[in-house]
Amino acid sequence: MKEHIIALVDCDSFFVSCEQAVEPSLRGQPVCVVTGDNGCVVSRSREAKKAGVKMGMPMFMARREFPSVIYKNARHELYCRYSRRVMTCLREIVPDVEEVSVDEAYADLTSLDRVYRTDYTSLAARIRETIRRTADIPVSIGLGPSKLLAKLASDKAKNCLLYTSPSPRDRSVS
């Protein structure tokens, strides 16, 4: 019986990535998306994370502790539009996709190595590049023989690709 290969495609800092796609000057900057003036931080760029901004931090605290961070109010229509672009890119490569949130989807890659005449790691890299080029959104991809292992691999693979397998000889990272 052929081992299943599941990919979890997870958009990196999705709300911030959407804001950066619309406004490229935000790239490389400490940026947070917030739920409003009296709300909290719901997405952080890598630079904002490095500065110490915490997820869920109330706005009054974030502005006081991190005044140099750029704060953007959430624009859910924008995020839904970018989500559709990401999912369309994914479905153009993989027929079996299960969306689990606005920024995550499982994709069953089983046997697609034969269809695309490549290994699963290269196929996942192709998915990442296609989404980045077409939707302008960075994604992390975890690969594994089950949804659980793909999710665990994706959590470890922020802004890259990680393949976890029950067999040590099959593990690879790129």
Side-chain angles (χ1 to χ4, degrees), residues 2-3 5 108-123:
K2 182 146 176 79
E3 179 182 52
I5 301 297
D108 189 342
L109 304 185
T110 307
S111 299
L112 290 179
D113 57 337
R114 289 191 221 142
V115 172
Y116 289 102
R117 299 176 195 263
T118 190
D119 60 87
Y120 291 113
T121 304
S122 297
L123 179 56

Side-chain angles (χ1 to χ4, degrees), residues 121-122 124-125 128 157 159-163 172-174:
T121 304
S122 297
R128 284 183 72 223
N159 203 27
C160 67
L161 168 69
L162 178 66
Y163 178 37
S172 61
V173 178
S174 69

Side-chain angles (χ1 to χ4, degrees), residues 67-78:
S68 63
V69 169
I70 300 164
Y71 298 96
K72 305 291 279 183
N73 284 330
R75 300 190 287 170
H76 296 289
E77 304 82 28
L78 175 70

Side-chain angles (χ1 to χ4, degrees), residues 18-85:
C18 294
E19 296 291 343
Q20 291 170 330
V22 171
E23 194 175 337
S25 64
L26 295 175
R27 290 189 175 125
Q29 302 293 320
V31 179
C32 291
V33 172
V34 298
T35 57
D37 292 334
N38 297 320
C40 62
V41 173
V42 293
S43 184
R44 305 163 296 157
S45 68
R46 190 177 306 143
E47 296 79 11
K49 291 174 187 177
K50 191 174 183 178
V53 180
K54 302 291 182 212
M55 185 66 94
M57 183 176 246
M59 269 306 299
F60 75 91
M61 288 176 63
R63 283 194 192 277
R64 185 179 64 223
E65 291 182 42
F66 306 98
S68 63
V69 169
I70 300 164
Y71 298 96
K72 305 291 279 183
N73 284 330
R75 300 190 287 170
H76 296 289
E77 304 82 28
L78 175 70
Y79 311 144
C80 288
R81 196 165 61 243
Y82 272 91
S83 177
R84 284 190 297 275
R85 288 180 188 173

